[in-house]
Structures are given as C-alpha cells and as structure tokens.
Amino acid sequence: MSFFLRTNYQIYHATHSPQIFYKYPVQFIFQLASPPFLSIYLTKNQSTRLPGSYSSYSKMASHIVGYPRMGPKRELKFALESFWDGKSSAEDLQNVAADLRSSIWKQMADAGIKYIPSNTFAYYDQVLDTTAMLGAVPARYNWNGGEIGFDTYFSMARGNASVPAMEMTKWFDTNYHYIVPELGPEVKFSYASHKAVTEYKEAKALGVDTVPVLVGPVSYLLLSKPAKGVDKSFSLISLLDKILPIYKEVVAELKAAGASWIQFDEPTLVKDLDSAQLQAFTKAYSDLESSLSGLNVLIETYFADVPAEAFKVLTALKGVTAFGFDLVRGSKTLELIKSGIPSGKYLFAGVVDGRNIWANDLSTSLSLLQSLEGVVGKDKLVVSTSCSLLHTAVDLVNETKLDKEIKSWLAFAAQKVVEVNALAKALSGHKDEDFFSANAAAQASRKSSPRVTNEAVQKAALALKGSDHRRVTNVSARLDAQQKKLNLPILPTTTIGSFPQTVELRRVRREYKAKKIPEEEYVKAIKEEINKVVKLQEELDIDVLVHGEPERNDMVEYFGEQLSGFAFTANGWVQSYGSRCVKPPIIYGDVSRPKPMTVFWSSTAQSMTKRPMKGMLTGPVTILNWSFVRNDQPRFETCYQIALAIKDEVEDLEKAGITVIQIDEAALREGLPLRKSEHAFYLDWAVHSFRITNCGVEDTTQIHTHMCYSNFNDIIHSIINMDADVITIENSRSDEKLLSVFREGVKYGAGIGPGVYDIHSPRIPSTEEIADRINKMLAVLETNILWVNPDCGLKTRKYAEVKPALQYMVAAAKLLRTQLASAK
C-alpha cells in the first residue's frame, strides 16, 4: 500500500554508493514496507518523489531470472537449523519462508520489475524441489506416496539416522551445490509436490503476478545420474516420456491459477550436447506444446554461450515465446542472436551480471541493448540478469564494513534489480541521467584508483613465464624420503582440516573482531581450543593431526583478510548448499602477502604433539574461484598473483618445522569451463598455479591437497599433473564414483585418500561400513599409497557426531591393517 504526501523535504536516493545521492524534485510516496533496494535520505527543502516504479511510469520490460533465498540476514539459514535441531516447529519454518518470499516479491514489484520469478525459493535446493515435484524419491527413504513433506525432503538432502543423503555436486561452474537426482527405469514418477502452483497463488494473493519457474524437463534428466544398481549406460533421456505428463499437470494447474507466463530453466543447453540430447529438447517441447497453449513460454539459459547447433534447436522449439541468454559469460551468443533469432519472439537479454558484484557499466549495456532492439524489435526486448542472482550477495545497503570508494564500485542483488530497471527505463526513453552519470563516475573511479595496481606484484607474476614450476624429484622418491622422516603406518589416518566450530568459539572470535576482548584473551582461548582438538586426535589415535582451524571464519575469507588487494563484507553471504552460506571476499586489486598468515598457529599446534601436524592453507585456484574476482584483467593473472602469496606462506611454514603442508584446492574442478574446447587452457594455468605454491620445498616436506564435491574423473590426469604428494578427495557421498576411474586403469603413484564417510550428513557410519569402503579402495589402489580420512572438513558438524565417526574410522583402519598383516 502506498500514499502520496506533500512535504518540505528533498529526497536523495542512494544506489551503489553511499556518498552519491540523487535528487528528485517531485513528491514522495511513503510505503508501509520500504523496499531495501532503495535507501532514502531526507533533507529539508521541497516536495519530492522517487523515480522508477514509484513514478507515474508503467513497469518497463524488465526481468529477474531468480533471487537469493536465504534473506538479507540469513533468516532462512537460522530457521532451517533451528528446525533441524528440534528447537522450532515446521510451522515456524514455513512462516519464516513465507515472510521471505513475500518480501522478495513485493520488493521486486516496488522496484519496477515486470517479470518477477516465483518458485525460485527452496528450503534446500531447486533441483531437489523438482525431484519432489516428480515424486522421484529413492526407495531407501520409505516414502509411501502423497505430498512430500519435510521428513522425506530433508532426508533426501541430508540423510537420516538410518540412510545416507543423496549425492551433492556443484551446479555447473558455480559454488552452489545441488542434490543429484537418482533415476532408473523402475522409478514411479508422480505429481508429489505442488509447490510451484502454491507459490504462484501465494504471490498472486499478495497482488504480485509472477512468472513461475521450473527446472526444464531435459535439463533435469541431464543433471541426474543412474540410481544405484542401474547400469551406468542407462539413458536418462529415455525417461522423458515418463516425466512430461507431470509437467503437463503442473502447467495445467498454473494456467488454471491465472499464470500468463512460465519460465523453464534449461541451462544444459550451454554444454556440449550430442544429437540425441539436443533432439530431446525438440521432443519435450513438441509434446508440451498443446499444454502450453495460451501461455507465454520463456526458455532460460545461463552461465555460458549457447553453441550454434543448440541455438538452432532452441530457437526452433514449438510453443516457445521467448529465449533468455547470458550475455555476460555468453558474449559469443550475440552473433547468433543477430543472425538468427526468429521474428516475433521475445529476447530476454541477460546484461546484468548475476555471478559477480561489480556495478554494471550502464552506458555499455545500454548501447548493447539498443543494438539488439534493431534485431528483435523494441517491443520484444526485455532487460534481464545473466542468471539467477542466487550467486551474489543480497543487499549492499546492509554493508558497514566496506569503505566508500570500494562500495561505489559494487552492486549486490538488490542493486542489480535497480540496474535492470534503470536500463529498461532508458530503453523506453525515460533515461535517468543522474543515475547514469553517477554510474559512469564510479566506473572511472575504479579504473584510475591507485589501490588497484601494484607494479611489484605485476612484475613478479610476469616473471613466472618460462617455467613449469615442478619439484625436481619425482613423487615416488619424495614419498620414500617423507616416510623415513614421518614413519607412518600403512593406511595412515588424518582429517581434512577443520573441527566443529562451537557457539562459544564463534563468540570469542566475534568479540575479538569487535574489540570487546583483548588480544591476549583471544589467543589464550584459541590455544585452549587447539589443545583440545590435538588431545582428542591423540586419544583417537589419528596419525597425522590438524589444529582444527578455530581461528578461521572461512577457508577463503581467513586468507583474504591477510592479503592485499582483498575487501570484505559484513553481510555479503551467498548460499553454498542447504543452510550453508559463505561470504566470498572481493578481489579488487593486485594480490600480495604482507606477512605470514598461519605460521604462528601451526607452530603452536605442532608444539603440543610429537605427531605430524599439518599446516593448513587454501590454494590459489580455490581462493580465486570462491571469491568475487576483479573483472578488469584475466582470471589467470589474478590466480598467479595469489599463488605467489601462498608460495611465501608454504616456505615460511617449512622453515618453522612444519613437515606436512596441505594446500586445499577444493574448487579446482569447479572453475572448469562448461565447454570442452576451453578445458585445456583453464587446467593448464590452474594446475600451474598450484605447482607454483610448493615448487621450492624440500623432498622431505609432504605436500597434501584436498578436493571435494565435483566429478573429478574427467580431469584425473590434470590432478596427477598437480604433482602433490598426497591428495584427499571426496568419495563417499558420490557413491564412490571416484574409484571407477582407477578401475578403468588409471595409474596413480602419489598418496591418495578417497573419503570414507560423508561429513555433510549427521549420520554416523559404523566401523564395518567404513572398513567395507576401504576394502573397495584397496581393490583398485595400492596399499602403500592409500590414506583413510573423511570426505571433507568437520566444521559444520557437532562433536557428538564427530567423535564416534572418527573413532569408527580409526578402528576400521586398524582392522584392515591387521587383516593385511595376517594375509602376508
């Protein structure tokens, strides 16, 4: 509800920059719920009014692919975790979710967006929501039909006391993870979740007409995997005829509810697809054509260029009204659009970046949009985001940590909504000159700022050319030298790095950052926590220890805070999976390491035990891929700069007597381009960056790395080329998919620790189950190279889960050692 009020005040509207305000000499509209997209400042003067949707203009042709679901203050995260812990009811969780959805829809409507998405909210994951919609519940969850409730839904996502969770893997090349559907010829599909229709009706009752969004049927199948026991060669596309009837039911209900548009997300169209896969799109939408009659149908793609053959198939689909393209990461698609988009179709032009936090160059985007008007027609062009804004932070207005200059260079999800609308207005002839001028000033400020460039760093990175930075001795000889020094048993046990972060530990860190407790008290508390973790590992008889990382908030942010060229937010949270959120650093300039970052804590931990203590670092590729990266130079140049900084840290750890150093590259696979033609270039500089970090250490210093939650089989040769001494790698949640590459004959001579249990589930595996996993590994890997470890770090778990799980893990390793010894 809105009402006009004449006032003696002049309004200034702050968008990207808190120090730049825009003046509007009209009248002001007071809202009962002021949208967070706009910050309003009043100064005494005259009667005023806001621009955009607050003005007399009708809503322009603007669209948002999707929006962050966690909330500006992570409201959904806390509601989920409270529900999972039994501290709140399902109704409490549903109320928080409903409030978030309502706020998002109203805010977009108030900001002037015409095509507002619904059904992009999810309690855990949008692909899992589609699995629920299709009733594709694996038999182990004992679902007996009917509408899928929280018990079944969260058991699929997280597992429960008796059965493991479904596999989780990266969503394309992002840091978001989706729950992988498990399908086969025996799956009985049924319409088992009416969420898409319910949320459309919910928005409509609030006065917001939305565009319901569904994961497209073909992409859903292509993103699935054959269920356990199903032949790996099974064609998932063969299930298309079984799922389309359910899509038809959903479409019929949406039409009956009054929907006029529907959005099918088909992002797999940007991948390398064969002819059978491409034909599946033609078949699917031909089959759906009569059901979709009377609806405007948008097929949305994102994250890369659409290949020419896929573009041809896409634009020929029957019953489709509009096509959405990522024109930020898919700039080559522009040429295809200019030469071949069918007449009369809508083009949803994704010119505002949904993957990064830099303010849009509005002038450049407007020029591009104006050129596209000549291709599709003024009335058929819609301004959009490049992909869902799920992958960026929520609202810059909430930021208190960023300085004014850097803040002026940025746009979070809320500000991107404003940018989309500003571009749409400009296209319609209502360009906000003040807004565009302020944007141009911010762009110029960033280009000329002296804090962005460090000539010494650029020279050092340039000097890297001409060397492959390999260690001189081969891995086999190094492992022999390391074993003489470390004297480890066969099947050595270790963990990946982090231990549970308790409420008390987080309180200590928070109060130290807020300067509420002195440094001495903070150091004492962290030392006590490290000592507790060390003693626990010794009691469990783990062979190679970790210090538990109690001083670290996040494996990337912790390092970025100590490197130059990085900036940090207070509330720039982005969903990674489920309730897990990360706060990516912002790399705005050249990167260097002013001083040691981890040596004090690693040395302190090593002094508490005679067992080897791993020094724990995050690798350059992971820091790069888990940050918001500057877009004014190639990514590999930034990565090389980070690699040099980590190299300095590795060498300082070695000098301090740390003999095992782990350099995590959890996100190496994540950055792999979606098109095979671009793989070699990426893998070359990514692997090179890792080798730079440790090329100077002694043979007796053991270099570990860790990778998780991606399909590594297709890059196994690049992993070998990293030349690490030991790699620990996620294996159990993906149902031991990793082991298949070794069954197929790949020889791996370095140490390797495929994870023996899934740490993202509260479920505690038994000794027998872990021993069975180790036996499967021993069937394809040599005994002398195999390590025993969890899938990933233990930060998100509770000690009540961690202690027995690690106890059983060590017991399983000892059991196998005994069996192997007796078999000799």
Side-chain angles (χ1 to χ4, degrees):
M1 178 178 176
S2 306
F3 57 93
F4 291 90
L5 179 66
R6 289 259 172 203
T7 164
N8 289 334
Y9 290 85
Q10 178 171 304
I11 292 183
Y12 290 85
H13 165 211
T15 54
H16 307 304
S17 170
Q19 79 268 30
I20 300 174
F21 303 107
Y22 305 125
K23 176 178 174 182
Y24 297 99
V26 229
Q27 63 183 3
F28 179 48
I29 307 173
F30 281 90
Q31 292 270 340
L32 293 183
S34 179
F37 302 111
L38 309 174
S39 296
I40 310 303
Y41 297 82
L42 302 177
T43 58
K44 189 171 181 179
N45 193 343
Q46 64 185 52
S47 110
T48 55
R49 184 172 75 179
L50 285 175
S53 61
Y54 293 93
S55 74
S56 59
Y57 304 138
S58 61
K59 289 186 178 178
M60 305 305 170
S62 52
H63 168 250
I64 305 298
V65 176
Y67 199 78
R69 55 183 73 125
M70 278 292 135
K73 297 182 178 178
R74 294 181 291 163
E75 291 88 343
L76 182 59
K77 169 189 172 65
F78 299 119
L80 282 167
E81 292 173 358
S82 176
F83 173 69
W84 292 338
D85 288 343
K87 295 176 182 176
S88 59
S89 67
E91 185 180 2
D92 293 331
L93 174 58
Q94 289 165 336
N95 287 340
V96 170
D99 287 345
L100 285 170
R101 290 192 296 268
S102 171
S103 173
I104 291 166
W105 291 326
K106 287 181 177 179
Q107 288 159 4
M108 279 197 245
D110 290 340
I113 300 302
K114 183 174 183 178
Y115 301 107
I116 297 171
S118 62
N119 198 42
T120 56
F121 176 89
Y123 285 101
Y124 205 95
D125 164 53
Q126 70 269 14
V127 180
L128 182 61
D129 285 0
T130 309
T131 295
M133 181 185 84
L134 297 170
V137 180
R140 65 181 177 274
Y141 299 109
N142 296 318
W143 174 63
N144 295 315
E147 190 81 4
I148 289 175
F150 281 158
D151 283 351
T152 301
Y153 182 86
F154 288 128
S155 289
M156 289 192 287
R158 307 176 69 237
N160 58 42
S162 58
V163 292
M166 295 169 69
E167 180 185 350
M168 180 170 69
T169 197
K170 296 291 174 70
W171 177 244
F172 293 80
D173 58 348
T174 74
N175 187 32
Y176 178 78
H177 303 66
Y178 75 97
I179 302 297
V180 183
E182 301 172 13
L183 306 178
E186 305 305 317
V187 175
K188 306 293 185 190
F189 295 101
S190 63
Y191 188 10
S193 171
H194 293 67
K195 175 178 172 290
V197 179
T198 300
E199 290 188 11
Y200 173 78
K201 291 179 178 178
E202 185 182 321
K204 194 170 184 181
L206 295 168
V208 182
D209 190 22
T210 61
V211 179
V213 178
L214 300 176
V215 175
V218 183
S219 287
Y220 176 79
L221 293 176
L222 292 178
L223 292 166
S224 303
K225 70 172 186 177
K228 196 169 185 177
V230 175
D231 191 293
K232 299 301 180 187
S233 64
F234 173 72
S235 171
L236 294 161
I237 289 297
S238 68
L239 297 172
L240 195 57
D241 287 336
K242 293 186 177 182
I243 68 170
L244 287 178
I246 297 163
Y247 274 88
K248 290 176 183 178
E249 287 188 70
V250 178
V251 168
E253 288 193 5
L254 287 169
K255 285 169 71 173
S260 58
W261 278 84
I262 187 168
Q263 175 178 320
F264 290 100
D265 281 5
E266 293 282 14
T268 55
L269 278 163
V270 305
K271 301 184 83 173
D272 295 310
L273 302 179
D274 60 35
S275 58
Q277 292 168 329
L278 288 173
Q279 281 179 341
F281 288 94
T282 302
K283 173 179 169 46
Y285 289 93
S286 293
D287 198 338
L288 288 171
E289 183 181 10
S290 60
S291 298
L292 293 169
S293 177
L295 282 173
N296 289 297
V297 178
L298 165 64
I299 306 293
E300 186 67 52
T301 68
Y302 35 79
F303 298 151
D305 286 299
V306 176
E309 194 59 34
F311 184 88
K312 184 178 177 182
V313 169
L314 169 61
T315 53
L317 292 179
K318 294 181 178 179
V320 175
T321 316
F323 311 106
F325 298 107
D326 182 338
L327 299 182
V328 176
R329 290 183 175 236
S331 56
K332 293 176 185 174
T333 305
L334 274 172
E335 297 309 310
L336 295 173
I337 292 170
K338 289 175 181 177
S339 63
I341 197 162
S343 175
K345 302 291 186 181
Y346 285 87
L347 171 62
F348 282 59
V351 295
V352 173
D353 193 351
R355 293 275 300 269
N356 217 327
I357 43 65
W358 303 107
N360 188 273
D361 184 337
L362 295 178
S363 178
T364 299
S365 292
L366 183 59
S367 295
L368 171 59
L369 290 164
Q370 287 168 337
S371 72
L372 290 172
E373 275 187 327
V375 177
V376 297
K378 197 177 186 73
D379 62 332
K380 297 297 182 184
L381 183 62
V382 179
V383 183
S384 185
T385 53
S386 66
C387 62
S388 173
L389 298 176
L390 175 71
H391 309 289
T392 190
V394 179
D395 195 348
L396 197 55
V397 168
N398 296 325
E399 283 311 316
T400 55
K401 201 171 176 180
L402 295 167
D403 66 60
K404 290 182 178 180
E405 182 180 38
I406 289 177
K407 200 170 181 180
S408 74
W409 302 342
L410 307 178
F412 290 179
Q415 288 68 46
K416 289 176 186 294
V417 170
V418 174
E419 290 179 336
V420 167
N421 196 51
L423 287 166
K425 280 176 56 187
L427 270 181
S428 70
H430 300 102
K431 183 179 178 183
D432 187 330
E433 296 292 350
D434 287 339
F435 189 91
F436 272 70
S437 295
N439 174 266
Q443 298 290 326
S445 160
R446 184 178 166 212
K447 287 177 183 175
S448 62
S449 175
R451 65 197 297 187
V452 170
T453 305
N454 182 324
E455 287 187 12
V457 171
Q458 292 188 350
K459 276 187 182 178
L462 193 63
L464 293 171
K465 294 180 179 178
S467 171
D468 65 2
H469 297 91
R470 287 185 182 276
R471 293 169 77 177
V472 176
T473 312
N474 68 44
V475 69
S476 178
R478 297 198 309 261
L479 288 173
D480 287 343
Q482 292 155 14
Q483 178 59 15
K484 287 176 184 175
K485 187 168 187 175
L486 298 172
N487 193 29
L488 298 172
I490 61 167
L491 306 181
T493 54
T494 190
T495 62
I496 304 305
S498 62
F499 264 65
Q501 300 239 332
T502 62
V503 172
E504 175 60 18
L505 178 58
R506 293 176 190 274
R507 180 195 65 78
V508 168
R509 256 200 339 257
R510 187 170 59 248
E511 291 187 355
Y512 175 62
K513 275 200 166 186
K515 300 183 178 178
K516 292 181 179 179
I517 60 173
E519 185 175 9
E520 297 79 9
E521 184 178 335
Y522 168 74
V523 170
K524 180 174 180 287
I526 297 298
K527 282 184 175 180
E528 287 174 355
E529 184 68 20
I530 291 172
N531 190 58
K532 180 179 81 172
V533 169
V534 170
K535 297 304 179 202
L536 172 60
Q537 291 172 94
E538 288 183 329
E539 289 167 12
L540 293 167
D541 204 18
I542 291 173
D543 299 304
V544 177
L545 310 190
V546 298
H547 76 289
E549 306 176 10
E551 78 284 10
R552 304 185 189 184
N553 45 6
D554 175 83
M555 66 182 286
V556 172
E557 184 175 8
Y558 177 77
F559 290 94
E561 285 176 335
Q562 301 181 77
L563 295 169
S564 64
F566 282 75
F568 298 87
T569 63
N571 294 294
W573 297 100
V574 179
Q575 185 183 14
S576 178
Y577 63 87
S579 67
R580 169 78 169 145
C581 299
V582 294
K583 202 158 35 120
I586 298 165
I587 305 177
Y588 67 84
D590 291 333
V591 178
S592 62
R593 186 198 72 147
K595 61 182 181 180
M597 303 178 286
T598 66
V599 175
F600 173 76
W601 294 118
S602 292
S603 301
T604 298
Q606 183 65 80
S607 72
M608 297 174 178
T609 182
K610 293 181 179 178
R611 301 186 185 211
M613 174 65 61
K614 284 197 279 191
M616 300 300 305
L617 304 175
T618 302
V621 184
T622 295
I623 290 176
L624 183 89
N625 285 338
W626 286 357
S627 297
F628 290 124
V629 183
R630 58 190 293 189
N631 58 1
D632 59 346
Q633 71 177 17
R635 287 172 70 88
F636 70 85
E637 290 186 14
T638 302
C639 198
Y640 285 157
Q641 293 177 1
I642 302 169
L644 287 171
I646 300 299
K647 181 177 186 288
D648 290 344
E649 189 71 12
V650 168
E651 292 172 2
D652 280 348
L653 282 169
E654 185 182 54
K655 288 173 188 173
I658 303 300
T659 56
V660 181
I661 302 171
Q662 182 169 307
I663 308 166
D664 285 346
E665 284 295 13
L668 186 136
R669 173 64 172 76
E670 177 183 308
L672 191 69
L674 299 177
R675 305 283 285 284
K676 289 179 183 176
S677 60
E678 299 169 10
H679 286 190
F681 177 68
Y682 167 78
L683 289 169
D684 180 64
W685 64 255
V687 169
H688 188 189
S689 295
F690 176 83
R691 290 202 306 263
I692 288 167
T693 66
N694 60 88
C695 63
V697 300
E698 299 292 332
D699 288 353
T700 51
T701 297
Q702 190 167 86
I703 299 296
H704 288 222
T705 191
H706 171 68
M707 297 181 178
C708 58
Y709 300 103
S710 285
N711 180 8
F712 298 104
N713 293 19
D714 57 346
I715 63 164
I716 191 66
H717 293 289
S718 294
I719 292 173
I720 293 170
N721 200 27
M722 291 171 73
D723 200 28
D725 297 310
V726 178
I727 179 171
T728 52
I729 195 162
E730 179 270 325
N731 171 68
S732 57
R733 179 148 187 172
S734 59
D735 200 24
E736 299 161 352
K737 188 189 299 178
L738 172 72
L739 299 185
S740 66
V741 76
F742 301 111
R743 294 189 190 102
E744 291 163 7
V746 172
K747 298 298 180 186
Y748 192 75
I752 184 167
V756 297
Y757 79 91
D758 175 21
I759 65 87
H760 288 295
S761 170
R763 180 175 171 272
I764 300 167
S766 66
T767 299
E768 293 72 23
E769 182 181 333
I770 294 174
D772 181 58
R773 285 193 186 279
I774 298 171
N775 269 320
K776 289 178 181 176
M777 298 171 193
L778 287 170
V780 293
L781 294 165
E782 296 294 328
T783 306
N784 64 330
I785 66 169
L786 187 61
W787 286 63
V788 177
N789 46 262
D791 264 355
C792 204
L794 304 170
K795 175 181 178 179
T796 60
R797 301 265 55 90
K798 297 179 173 61
Y799 273 105
E801 299 158 349
V802 165
K803 288 179 182 179
L806 291 180
Q807 180 185 344
Y808 300 152
M809 182 188 81
V810 173
K814 289 181 175 180
L815 175 65
L816 268 295
R817 287 173 195 162
T818 302
Q819 291 177 359
L820 289 167
S822 63
K824 285 183 179 179

